[in-house]
mmCIF file of all heavy atoms in Angstrom:
data_model
loop_
_atom_site.group_PDB
_atom_site.id
_atom_site.type_symbol
_atom_site.label_atom_id
_atom_site.label_comp_id
_atom_site.label_asym_id
_atom_site.label_seq_id
_atom_site.Cartn_x
_atom_site.Cartn_y
_atom_site.Cartn_z
ATOM 1 N N ALA W 1 2.888 -23.310 -30.093
ATOM 2 C CA ALA W 1 3.097 -22.513 -28.883
ATOM 3 C C ALA W 1 3.500 -23.430 -27.732
ATOM 4 O O ALA W 1 2.935 -24.503 -27.563
ATOM 5 C CB ALA W 1 1.819 -21.757 -28.522
ATOM 6 N N PRO W 2 4.492 -23.026 -26.927
ATOM 7 C CA PRO W 2 4.887 -23.862 -25.778
ATOM 8 C C PRO W 2 3.805 -23.862 -24.714
ATOM 9 O O PRO W 2 2.991 -22.946 -24.633
ATOM 10 C CB PRO W 2 6.159 -23.165 -25.263
ATOM 11 C CG PRO W 2 6.057 -21.758 -25.734
ATOM 12 C CD PRO W 2 5.274 -21.805 -27.031
ATOM 13 N N ASP W 3 3.797 -24.918 -23.880
ATOM 14 C CA ASP W 3 2.814 -25.007 -22.802
ATOM 15 C C ASP W 3 3.037 -23.932 -21.754
ATOM 16 O O ASP W 3 2.101 -23.441 -21.151
ATOM 17 C CB ASP W 3 2.875 -26.380 -22.132
ATOM 18 C CG ASP W 3 2.343 -27.480 -23.040
ATOM 19 O OD1 ASP W 3 1.571 -27.149 -23.959
ATOM 20 O OD2 ASP W 3 2.716 -28.642 -22.839
ATOM 21 N N ARG W 4 4.287 -23.581 -21.525
ATOM 22 C CA ARG W 4 4.621 -22.562 -20.530
ATOM 23 C C ARG W 4 5.663 -21.627 -21.118
ATOM 24 O O ARG W 4 6.506 -22.043 -21.898
ATOM 25 C CB ARG W 4 5.228 -23.205 -19.296
ATOM 26 C CG ARG W 4 4.319 -24.056 -18.524
ATOM 27 C CD ARG W 4 5.015 -24.438 -17.261
ATOM 28 N NE ARG W 4 4.598 -25.758 -16.845
ATOM 29 C CZ ARG W 4 4.904 -26.292 -15.693
ATOM 30 N NH1 ARG W 4 5.664 -25.634 -14.860
ATOM 31 N NH2 ARG W 4 4.485 -27.471 -15.368
ATOM 32 N N PRO W 5 5.632 -20.368 -20.688
ATOM 33 C CA PRO W 5 6.682 -19.462 -21.144
ATOM 34 C C PRO W 5 8.025 -19.867 -20.529
ATOM 35 O O PRO W 5 8.076 -20.491 -19.472
ATOM 36 C CB PRO W 5 6.234 -18.095 -20.642
ATOM 37 C CG PRO W 5 5.183 -18.348 -19.632
ATOM 38 C CD PRO W 5 4.642 -19.720 -19.865
ATOM 39 N N ALA W 6 9.088 -19.525 -21.201
ATOM 40 C CA ALA W 6 10.423 -19.821 -20.688
ATOM 41 C C ALA W 6 10.652 -19.067 -19.382
ATOM 42 O O ALA W 6 10.116 -17.970 -19.199
ATOM 43 C CB ALA W 6 11.472 -19.410 -21.723
ATOM 44 N N PRO W 7 11.424 -19.647 -18.466
ATOM 45 C CA PRO W 7 11.728 -18.943 -17.212
ATOM 46 C C PRO W 7 12.318 -17.561 -17.503
ATOM 47 O O PRO W 7 13.130 -17.395 -18.406
ATOM 48 C CB PRO W 7 12.756 -19.845 -16.527
ATOM 49 C CG PRO W 7 12.521 -21.200 -17.120
ATOM 50 C CD PRO W 7 12.071 -20.958 -18.535
ATOM 51 N N GLY W 8 11.877 -16.593 -16.726
ATOM 52 C CA GLY W 8 12.374 -15.234 -16.895
ATOM 53 C C GLY W 8 11.612 -14.412 -17.925
ATOM 54 O O GLY W 8 11.866 -13.225 -18.087
ATOM 55 N N THR W 9 10.672 -15.056 -18.635
ATOM 56 C CA THR W 9 9.870 -14.326 -19.620
ATOM 57 C C THR W 9 8.944 -13.369 -18.870
ATOM 58 O O THR W 9 8.231 -13.784 -17.965
ATOM 59 C CB THR W 9 9.025 -15.288 -20.475
ATOM 60 O OG1 THR W 9 9.889 -16.194 -21.133
ATOM 61 C CG2 THR W 9 8.178 -14.547 -21.488
ATOM 62 N N PRO W 10 8.963 -12.078 -19.236
ATOM 63 C CA PRO W 10 8.088 -11.144 -18.525
ATOM 64 C C PRO W 10 6.611 -11.463 -18.749
ATOM 65 O O PRO W 10 6.226 -11.963 -19.799
ATOM 66 C CB PRO W 10 8.418 -9.782 -19.136
ATOM 67 C CG PRO W 10 9.556 -9.980 -20.063
ATOM 68 C CD PRO W 10 9.752 -11.439 -20.265
ATOM 69 N N ILE W 11 5.810 -11.175 -17.754
ATOM 70 C CA ILE W 11 4.359 -11.314 -17.875
ATOM 71 C C ILE W 11 3.889 -10.253 -18.865
ATOM 72 O O ILE W 11 4.306 -9.099 -18.776
ATOM 73 C CB ILE W 11 3.677 -11.118 -16.509
ATOM 74 C CG1 ILE W 11 4.102 -12.234 -15.568
ATOM 75 C CG2 ILE W 11 2.160 -11.058 -16.644
ATOM 76 C CD1 ILE W 11 3.678 -12.015 -14.125
ATOM 77 N N PRO W 12 3.036 -10.608 -19.813
ATOM 78 C CA PRO W 12 2.535 -9.594 -20.754
ATOM 79 C C PRO W 12 1.882 -8.441 -19.994
ATOM 80 O O PRO W 12 1.131 -8.647 -19.047
ATOM 81 C CB PRO W 12 1.510 -10.347 -21.598
ATOM 82 C CG PRO W 12 1.911 -11.780 -21.473
ATOM 83 C CD PRO W 12 2.486 -11.924 -20.096
ATOM 84 N N GLU W 13 2.205 -7.247 -20.423
ATOM 85 C CA GLU W 13 1.686 -6.052 -19.759
ATOM 86 C C GLU W 13 1.288 -5.052 -20.838
ATOM 87 O O GLU W 13 1.975 -4.916 -21.845
ATOM 88 C CB GLU W 13 2.804 -5.464 -18.881
ATOM 89 C CG GLU W 13 2.414 -4.319 -18.034
ATOM 90 C CD GLU W 13 3.564 -3.852 -17.133
ATOM 91 O OE1 GLU W 13 4.698 -4.345 -17.239
ATOM 92 O OE2 GLU W 13 3.300 -2.956 -16.323
ATOM 93 N N ILE W 14 0.178 -4.385 -20.637
ATOM 94 C CA ILE W 14 -0.282 -3.368 -21.581
ATOM 95 C C ILE W 14 -0.602 -2.100 -20.798
ATOM 96 O O ILE W 14 -1.089 -2.164 -19.672
ATOM 97 C CB ILE W 14 -1.499 -3.850 -22.408
ATOM 98 C CG1 ILE W 14 -1.845 -2.826 -23.482
ATOM 99 C CG2 ILE W 14 -2.669 -4.180 -21.525
ATOM 100 C CD1 ILE W 14 -2.774 -3.332 -24.550
ATOM 101 N N ALA W 15 -0.299 -0.970 -21.414
ATOM 102 C CA ALA W 15 -0.547 0.318 -20.760
ATOM 103 C C ALA W 15 -0.938 1.328 -21.823
ATOM 104 O O ALA W 15 -0.714 1.125 -23.019
ATOM 105 C CB ALA W 15 0.698 0.784 -20.019
ATOM 106 N N GLY W 16 -1.504 2.421 -21.360
ATOM 107 C CA GLY W 16 -1.857 3.509 -22.265
ATOM 108 C C GLY W 16 -0.615 4.126 -22.885
ATOM 109 O O GLY W 16 0.505 3.859 -22.463
ATOM 110 N N PRO W 17 -0.814 4.988 -23.873
ATOM 111 C CA PRO W 17 0.305 5.479 -24.673
ATOM 112 C C PRO W 17 1.202 6.508 -23.994
ATOM 113 O O PRO W 17 2.307 6.755 -24.452
ATOM 114 C CB PRO W 17 -0.375 6.099 -25.885
ATOM 115 C CG PRO W 17 -1.710 6.521 -25.385
ATOM 116 C CD PRO W 17 -2.093 5.481 -24.366
ATOM 117 N N ARG W 18 0.731 7.105 -22.885
ATOM 118 C CA ARG W 18 1.597 8.104 -22.251
ATOM 119 C C ARG W 18 1.338 8.182 -20.749
ATOM 120 O O ARG W 18 0.265 7.836 -20.258
ATOM 121 C CB ARG W 18 1.412 9.470 -22.886
ATOM 122 C CG ARG W 18 0.113 10.139 -22.532
ATOM 123 C CD ARG W 18 0.077 11.575 -22.986
ATOM 124 N NE ARG W 18 -1.107 12.184 -22.422
ATOM 125 C CZ ARG W 18 -1.729 13.192 -22.952
ATOM 126 N NH1 ARG W 18 -1.291 13.717 -24.065
ATOM 127 N NH2 ARG W 18 -2.792 13.691 -22.375
ATOM 128 N N LYS W 19 2.344 8.673 -20.057
ATOM 129 C CA LYS W 19 2.255 8.874 -18.612
ATOM 130 C C LYS W 19 1.341 10.069 -18.332
ATOM 131 O O LYS W 19 1.462 11.111 -18.973
ATOM 132 C CB LYS W 19 3.659 9.134 -18.056
ATOM 133 C CG LYS W 19 3.720 9.335 -16.580
ATOM 134 C CD LYS W 19 5.165 9.537 -16.164
ATOM 135 C CE LYS W 19 5.281 10.114 -14.779
ATOM 136 N NZ LYS W 19 6.677 10.380 -14.423
ATOM 137 N N GLU W 20 0.418 9.867 -17.414
ATOM 138 C CA GLU W 20 -0.512 10.912 -16.992
ATOM 139 C C GLU W 20 -0.616 10.814 -15.474
ATOM 140 O O GLU W 20 -0.121 9.873 -14.877
ATOM 141 C CB GLU W 20 -1.887 10.697 -17.615
ATOM 142 C CG GLU W 20 -1.866 10.629 -19.136
ATOM 143 C CD GLU W 20 -3.220 10.371 -19.744
ATOM 144 O OE1 GLU W 20 -3.974 11.339 -19.880
ATOM 145 O OE2 GLU W 20 -3.517 9.212 -20.056
ATOM 146 N N THR W 21 -1.290 11.761 -14.871
ATOM 147 C CA THR W 21 -1.575 11.632 -13.444
ATOM 148 C C THR W 21 -3.077 11.460 -13.275
ATOM 149 O O THR W 21 -3.864 11.893 -14.112
ATOM 150 C CB THR W 21 -1.105 12.860 -12.631
ATOM 151 O OG1 THR W 21 -1.854 14.005 -13.029
ATOM 152 C CG2 THR W 21 0.388 13.100 -12.793
ATOM 153 N N MET W 22 -3.446 10.843 -12.183
ATOM 154 C CA MET W 22 -4.868 10.642 -11.915
ATOM 155 C C MET W 22 -5.588 11.971 -11.768
ATOM 156 O O MET W 22 -6.725 12.109 -12.207
ATOM 157 C CB MET W 22 -5.060 9.781 -10.667
ATOM 158 C CG MET W 22 -4.618 8.343 -10.859
ATOM 159 S SD MET W 22 -5.486 7.480 -12.183
ATOM 160 C CE MET W 22 -7.090 7.292 -11.468
ATOM 161 N N VAL W 23 -4.919 12.975 -11.199
ATOM 162 C CA VAL W 23 -5.580 14.278 -11.047
ATOM 163 C C VAL W 23 -5.816 14.919 -12.414
ATOM 164 O O VAL W 23 -6.857 15.551 -12.630
ATOM 165 C CB VAL W 23 -4.820 15.203 -10.078
ATOM 166 C CG1 VAL W 23 -3.544 15.752 -10.674
ATOM 167 C CG2 VAL W 23 -5.715 16.335 -9.605
ATOM 168 N N GLU W 24 -4.886 14.735 -13.356
ATOM 169 C CA GLU W 24 -5.111 15.269 -14.711
ATOM 170 C C GLU W 24 -6.335 14.611 -15.339
ATOM 171 O O GLU W 24 -7.179 15.283 -15.937
ATOM 172 C CB GLU W 24 -3.889 15.023 -15.596
ATOM 173 C CG GLU W 24 -2.677 15.846 -15.255
ATOM 174 C CD GLU W 24 -1.419 15.362 -15.971
ATOM 175 O OE1 GLU W 24 -1.431 14.270 -16.600
ATOM 176 O OE2 GLU W 24 -0.413 16.068 -15.887
ATOM 177 N N ALA W 25 -6.422 13.308 -15.215
ATOM 178 C CA ALA W 25 -7.564 12.582 -15.772
ATOM 179 C C ALA W 25 -8.864 13.015 -15.087
ATOM 180 O O ALA W 25 -9.882 13.239 -15.745
ATOM 181 C CB ALA W 25 -7.357 11.075 -15.631
ATOM 182 N N ALA W 26 -8.814 13.151 -13.771
ATOM 183 C CA ALA W 26 -10.011 13.577 -13.030
ATOM 184 C C ALA W 26 -10.432 14.986 -13.436
ATOM 185 O O ALA W 26 -11.621 15.275 -13.562
ATOM 186 C CB ALA W 26 -9.747 13.503 -11.533
ATOM 187 N N ARG W 27 -9.474 15.862 -13.664
ATOM 188 C CA ARG W 27 -9.809 17.232 -14.083
ATOM 189 C C ARG W 27 -10.447 17.245 -15.474
ATOM 190 O O ARG W 27 -11.381 18.014 -15.720
ATOM 191 C CB ARG W 27 -8.564 18.112 -14.042
ATOM 192 C CG ARG W 27 -8.193 18.512 -12.637
ATOM 193 C CD ARG W 27 -7.027 19.468 -12.597
ATOM 194 N NE ARG W 27 -6.762 19.853 -11.217
ATOM 195 C CZ ARG W 27 -5.559 20.005 -10.714
ATOM 196 N NH1 ARG W 27 -4.491 19.835 -11.464
ATOM 197 N NH2 ARG W 27 -5.405 20.357 -9.448
ATOM 198 N N LEU W 28 -9.941 16.416 -16.366
ATOM 199 C CA LEU W 28 -10.554 16.332 -17.705
ATOM 200 C C LEU W 28 -12.005 15.869 -17.595
ATOM 201 O O LEU W 28 -12.894 16.439 -18.224
ATOM 202 C CB LEU W 28 -9.760 15.380 -18.598
ATOM 203 C CG LEU W 28 -8.415 15.873 -19.113
ATOM 204 C CD1 LEU W 28 -7.641 14.728 -19.757
ATOM 205 C CD2 LEU W 28 -8.613 17.009 -20.100
ATOM 206 N N LEU W 29 -12.220 14.835 -16.808
ATOM 207 C CA LEU W 29 -13.572 14.318 -16.624
ATOM 208 C C LEU W 29 -14.447 15.340 -15.904
ATOM 209 O O LEU W 29 -15.597 15.568 -16.294
ATOM 210 C CB LEU W 29 -13.535 12.999 -15.855
ATOM 211 C CG LEU W 29 -14.868 12.304 -15.628
ATOM 212 C CD1 LEU W 29 -15.555 11.983 -16.949
ATOM 213 C CD2 LEU W 29 -14.677 11.050 -14.794
ATOM 214 N N GLY W 30 -13.900 15.961 -14.879
ATOM 215 C CA GLY W 30 -14.651 16.970 -14.139
ATOM 216 C C GLY W 30 -15.051 18.144 -15.016
ATOM 217 O O GLY W 30 -16.180 18.634 -14.935
ATOM 218 N N ALA W 31 -14.131 18.605 -15.872
ATOM 219 C CA ALA W 31 -14.441 19.724 -16.770
ATOM 220 C C ALA W 31 -15.582 19.354 -17.700
ATOM 221 O O ALA W 31 -16.468 20.169 -17.977
ATOM 222 C CB ALA W 31 -13.202 20.101 -17.575
ATOM 223 N N ARG W 32 -15.587 18.135 -18.144
ATOM 224 C CA ARG W 32 -16.651 17.677 -19.040
ATOM 225 C C ARG W 32 -18.006 17.639 -18.338
ATOM 226 O O ARG W 32 -19.040 17.884 -18.947
ATOM 227 C CB ARG W 32 -16.280 16.301 -19.579
ATOM 228 C CG ARG W 32 -17.267 15.783 -20.568
ATOM 229 C CD ARG W 32 -16.808 14.443 -21.090
ATOM 230 N NE ARG W 32 -17.840 13.940 -21.948
ATOM 231 C CZ ARG W 32 -17.663 13.512 -23.162
ATOM 232 N NH1 ARG W 32 -16.466 13.532 -23.690
ATOM 233 N NH2 ARG W 32 -18.657 13.055 -23.864
ATOM 234 N N ARG W 33 -17.983 17.319 -17.045
ATOM 235 C CA ARG W 33 -19.223 17.193 -16.274
ATOM 236 C C ARG W 33 -19.560 18.432 -15.457
ATOM 237 O O ARG W 33 -20.531 18.430 -14.706
ATOM 238 C CB ARG W 33 -19.130 15.977 -15.349
ATOM 239 C CG ARG W 33 -19.045 14.686 -16.122
ATOM 240 C CD ARG W 33 -19.057 13.506 -15.211
ATOM 241 N NE ARG W 33 -19.051 12.274 -15.978
ATOM 242 C CZ ARG W 33 -18.996 11.075 -15.444
ATOM 243 N NH1 ARG W 33 -18.955 10.931 -14.140
ATOM 244 N NH2 ARG W 33 -18.989 10.007 -16.205
ATOM 245 N N GLY W 34 -18.737 19.480 -15.567
ATOM 246 C CA GLY W 34 -18.989 20.701 -14.820
ATOM 247 C C GLY W 34 -18.681 20.587 -13.345
ATOM 248 O O GLY W 34 -19.304 21.253 -12.519
ATOM 249 N N VAL W 35 -17.715 19.751 -12.998
ATOM 250 C CA VAL W 35 -17.341 19.535 -11.607
ATOM 251 C C VAL W 35 -15.890 19.979 -11.427
ATOM 252 O O VAL W 35 -15.016 19.574 -12.195
ATOM 253 C CB VAL W 35 -17.463 18.038 -11.234
ATOM 254 C CG1 VAL W 35 -16.954 17.779 -9.828
ATOM 255 C CG2 VAL W 35 -18.888 17.551 -11.411
ATOM 256 N N LYS W 36 -15.644 20.798 -10.414
ATOM 257 C CA LYS W 36 -14.283 21.232 -10.130
ATOM 258 C C LYS W 36 -13.555 20.124 -9.376
ATOM 259 O O LYS W 36 -14.053 19.620 -8.367
ATOM 260 C CB LYS W 36 -14.276 22.517 -9.306
ATOM 261 C CG LYS W 36 -12.876 23.013 -9.027
ATOM 262 C CD LYS W 36 -12.896 24.291 -8.217
ATOM 263 C CE LYS W 36 -11.472 24.732 -7.927
ATOM 264 N NZ LYS W 36 -11.422 25.899 -7.066
ATOM 265 N N VAL W 37 -12.392 19.752 -9.845
ATOM 266 C CA VAL W 37 -11.587 18.709 -9.202
ATOM 267 C C VAL W 37 -10.363 19.369 -8.582
ATOM 268 O O VAL W 37 -9.679 20.151 -9.237
ATOM 269 C CB VAL W 37 -11.157 17.634 -10.226
ATOM 270 C CG1 VAL W 37 -10.188 16.649 -9.599
ATOM 271 C CG2 VAL W 37 -12.374 16.917 -10.785
ATOM 272 N N VAL W 38 -10.121 19.046 -7.342
ATOM 273 C CA VAL W 38 -8.976 19.582 -6.622
ATOM 274 C C VAL W 38 -8.062 18.427 -6.257
ATOM 275 O O VAL W 38 -8.488 17.460 -5.627
ATOM 276 C CB VAL W 38 -9.429 20.323 -5.339
ATOM 277 C CG1 VAL W 38 -8.235 20.846 -4.577
ATOM 278 C CG2 VAL W 38 -10.402 21.432 -5.690
ATOM 279 N N GLY W 39 -6.810 18.517 -6.676
ATOM 280 C CA GLY W 39 -5.848 17.479 -6.340
ATOM 281 C C GLY W 39 -5.309 17.689 -4.938
ATOM 282 O O GLY W 39 -5.258 18.807 -4.431
ATOM 283 N N ILE W 40 -4.945 16.615 -4.299
ATOM 284 C CA ILE W 40 -4.323 16.697 -2.979
ATOM 285 C C ILE W 40 -2.978 15.992 -3.023
ATOM 286 O O ILE W 40 -2.807 14.999 -3.723
ATOM 287 C CB ILE W 40 -5.213 16.096 -1.867
ATOM 288 C CG1 ILE W 40 -5.694 14.694 -2.257
ATOM 289 C CG2 ILE W 40 -6.353 16.984 -1.512
ATOM 290 C CD1 ILE W 40 -6.423 13.969 -1.153
#
């Protein structure tokens, strides 16, 4: 392995498998906990 990545090499990045919104995630969690979530 080289000591440094070659210039222009992107920084490793990891993300979840699909695009979601924070309000969607909050609503899923809220539904599980019995809390109504309202997006703004």
